[in-house]
Amino acid sequence: MHGAWTVRSAEITVEGQPGELVLLYEDLSDACPGMGRYTVEFRRGGEALYTYHTNTHEYPPGSPQSAESVALTTFSLLANALPERPDTFLLHPPEPRVRPSPAAPRDGALIIQGSPRRHGNTATLAGWAADACAAAGLGTTFVYPAERAISHCTACYRCFNTGRCVIDDEMDGVIGAIEAARLIVVCTPVAAGTVPSALKALIDRSLSLAAARALSGQTPVQWGLLCSAGAEDFTCVHRVVHAFFTRLGIRQLGNVLVPDVDEMADIRADPDREKDLRDQMGALLATMALPDNKP
């Protein structure tokens, strides 16, 4: 655990063997402004047999509890309960401190096709992006947020305890795909001035990956590209997607934006524009191979 200090500790005997119960505090404000995390841990022989985490952002203003009060109460309860009822706690493995990183090398591209339409202009952009990836030697995987069972983020912030989201749905597979990719391409229409709701849910739920990277202190070298088709104003789309990249530590290659699609209806109708967009994508992907951009 990085940057943690001991708030309380107690020597206790459990199942006839001595051990140490500790209450630790860790400042996580670099990852999330104003956040601190408490950890209650029972150790014996250098091994953590039980852990419990809670952080300050779990408790909204007006809550009758705070992270500090919950951590202190948990410490006191365990100091009494562990010697008397060890099976209640020690039969369960300790909470993982952080989500493990994938063992597979990051050498492919993940294309997040954010439109609920499988065959619209955004899908066309995604196809051109896949062609550009292939030309750059990158295999591609597609994710369609509208076709995934991804619940909305509840802003519980419990992912900053263990680096994992407490919601069990298909987002876990998406996180794995993001982790395995060298390049993440977000393709999105401008829907009501911003990204579609399913894509926004995916972006919000990626907070757990940001938490995992903050807790581990490890951020891999990854690249991000935004491709969007819509009206003239891409302000909100740009801010949402680039906030997504920034939060995950993804280096941003740039944007490929297609305005005035309402007037054109089908972006494939203008061969000159198609060539220009394909050239833009190829040029941006080529920058990943520059000497200064290698891991």
Side-chain angles (χ1 to χ4, degrees), residues 15 21 24 40 48 58 63 67 81 84 90 92 103 129 154 165-167 180 184 196 205 207 224 227 243 267 283 292:
E15 297 178 321
L21 184 68
L24 306 168
V40 181
E58 290 184 71
S63 172
E84 297 178 359
L90 302 188
H92 304 284
T154 62
C165 184
V166 298
I167 302 173
I184 292 90
R205 289 283 304 284
L207 181 63
C227 299
I267 61 176
D292 292 342

Side-chain angles (χ1 to χ4, degrees), residues 208-225:
S208 64
L209 180 55
R213 292 180 173 180
L215 293 175
S216 69
Q218 299 177 351
T219 300
V221 175
Q222 292 178 297
W223 300 95
L225 175 65

Side-chain angles (χ1 to χ4, degrees), residues 39-123:
T39 298
V40 181
E41 191 168 80
F42 176 65
R43 305 168 176 169
R44 188 165 59 201
E47 181 182 3
L49 300 180
Y50 176 85
T51 58
Y52 169 79
H53 304 289
T54 189
N55 72 74
T56 54
H57 281 34
E58 290 184 71
Y59 307 90
S63 172
Q65 295 178 314
S66 68
E68 181 181 21
S69 66
V70 169
L72 288 169
T73 299
T74 301
F75 179 88
S76 298
L77 289 173
L78 285 172
N80 294 318
L82 270 172
E84 297 178 359
R85 294 180 287 112
D87 289 351
T88 304
F89 304 97
L90 302 188
L91 285 178
H92 304 284
E95 295 178 351
R97 286 183 178 174
V98 65
R99 179 191 182 96
S101 297
R106 296 180 175 87
D107 58 2
L110 175 67
I111 298 179
I112 303 175
Q113 207 283 65
S115 174
R117 293 184 176 184
R118 270 273 190 167
H119 304 290
N121 286 318
T122 301

Side-chain angles (χ1 to χ4, degrees), residues 174-282:
V174 175
I175 292 292
I178 293 173
E179 287 184 296
R182 182 184 178 204
L183 170 69
I184 292 90
V185 183
V186 177
C187 297
T188 178
V190 180
T194 185
V195 300
S197 59
L199 175 57
K200 185 58 165 62
L202 183 153
I203 289 173
D204 291 348
R205 289 283 304 284
S206 71
L207 181 63
S208 64
L209 180 55
R213 292 180 173 180
L215 293 175
S216 69
Q218 299 177 351
T219 300
V221 175
Q222 292 178 297
W223 300 95
L225 175 65
L226 165 63
C227 299
S228 184
E232 288 287 348
D233 191 358
F234 294 91
T235 302
C236 191
V237 165
H238 180 273
R239 288 178 176 174
V240 168
V241 174
H242 282 257
F244 166 61
F245 289 153
T246 300
R247 185 168 63 187
L248 295 181
I250 296 171
R251 305 178 187 185
Q252 300 169 32
L253 292 174
N255 311 310
V256 177
L257 306 179
V258 189
D260 303 324
V261 295
D262 291 341
E263 298 176 9
M264 181 177 293
D266 187 346
I267 61 176
R268 296 171 298 179
D270 186 344
D272 291 335
R273 173 177 276 193
E274 176 180 342
K275 181 180 184 305
D276 179 60
L277 293 171
R278 286 180 178 272
D279 289 345
Q280 285 184 49
M281 293 177 183

Side-chain angles (χ1 to χ4, degrees), residues 8-34:
R8 289 189 181 181
S9 65
E11 298 289 334
I12 59 175
T13 299
V14 178
E15 297 178 321
Q17 300 182 56
E20 183 183 25
L21 184 68
V22 295
L23 171 57
L24 306 168
Y25 177 80
E26 184 178 10
D27 184 0
L28 297 181
S29 56
D30 287 346
C32 195

